[in-house]
Amino acid sequence: MSCWMPGCPALSMCRGLAALPITCLERAKDLKTRLGILLHKPELGHRIGTSSKLQLGSRRRDSSREVLEWRESFDQLLKSKSGVTAFHTFLKTEFSEENLDFWLACEDFKKTRSKTKLASKANRIFEEFVQSEAPREVNIDHETREITRKNLSGATSACFNEAQAKTRTLMEKDSYPRFLKSASYQDMTKQATSCGMSKRSHT
């Protein structure tokens, strides 16, 4: 689009973009690409109904600010859909994604209103993640495992609370700090910080 008039919006937009350093524009484009790849990972999720939480669309791209907020606390990371996706991708490299999948399954389970579905979902989650030698067994102690087993006899939305809390603590204390130190996240934060500073200096 071209325009020779002095007050043309297109001309103003071009001048605004031209004022930004090339490196900033390149970093922003690269960061957008990286997030786009994470948001379209088809293999994310698990088999018990919460995979839709991780199969994120491209309608909303996380800003540089949100990427930086992931390091403020584990809660901030879990509140961000693409933050969860990025963390899940990292956990796959450590072969421990079942911890996050179990946590997400429990979050989905708590929203179930039908008593019939509640019982069937509880059994599936227990068989997949909790029981000894489960296909995707999470790392919880024997006592918590047995408490959860007993809870299944009268399944309520709270029957996995203790096991979920133990798994969350494990991720927060162990996996989350390693995620923040990982090369992929460090690279994303450097790009976000650098581009953010460049934009502020040209406003």
Side-chain angles (χ1 to χ4, degrees), residues 5 14 20 38 54 97 121-122 128 144-145 153 158 160-161 177 187:
M5 295 177 65
C14 291
L20 289 173
L38 288 174
L54 290 172
E97 70 272 15
K121 278 188 177 183
E128 184 170 3
T144 302
R145 201 181 307 278
S153 60
F160 290 105
N161 280 5
D187 188 39

Side-chain angles (χ1 to χ4, degrees), residues 50-69:
T50 62
S51 59
S52 60
K53 292 178 179 293
L54 290 172
Q55 294 174 351
L56 306 174
S58 58
R59 290 177 299 176
R60 177 185 166 196
R61 293 284 189 259
D62 282 271
S63 64
S64 298
R65 179 180 176 181
E66 186 171 357
V67 171
L68 297 176
E69 286 176 348

Side-chain angles (χ1 to χ4, degrees), residues 2 23 64 72 74 83 86 88 91 93 97 101 117 141 147:
S2 61
T23 53
S64 298
E72 292 179 7
F74 191 47
H88 189 279
L91 291 177
T93 68
E97 70 272 15
D101 286 339
K117 289 183 179 179
D141 58 88
I147 289 174

Side-chain angles (χ1 to χ4, degrees), residues 30-48:
D30 185 50
L31 181 60
K32 180 180 178 181
T33 300
R34 286 172 180 270
L35 285 171
I37 291 173
L38 288 174
L39 292 172
H40 289 89
K41 289 273 184 185
E43 71 275 14
L44 296 182
H46 49 78
R47 299 187 299 276
I48 58 177

Side-chain angles (χ1 to χ4, degrees), residues 129-148:
F129 295 103
V130 182
Q131 70 179 8
S132 296
E133 300 184 3
R136 309 180 68 199
E137 184 179 351
V138 292
N139 186 13
I140 55 177
D141 58 88
H142 177 73
E143 183 181 356
T144 302
R145 201 181 307 278
E146 287 306 306
I147 289 174
T148 306

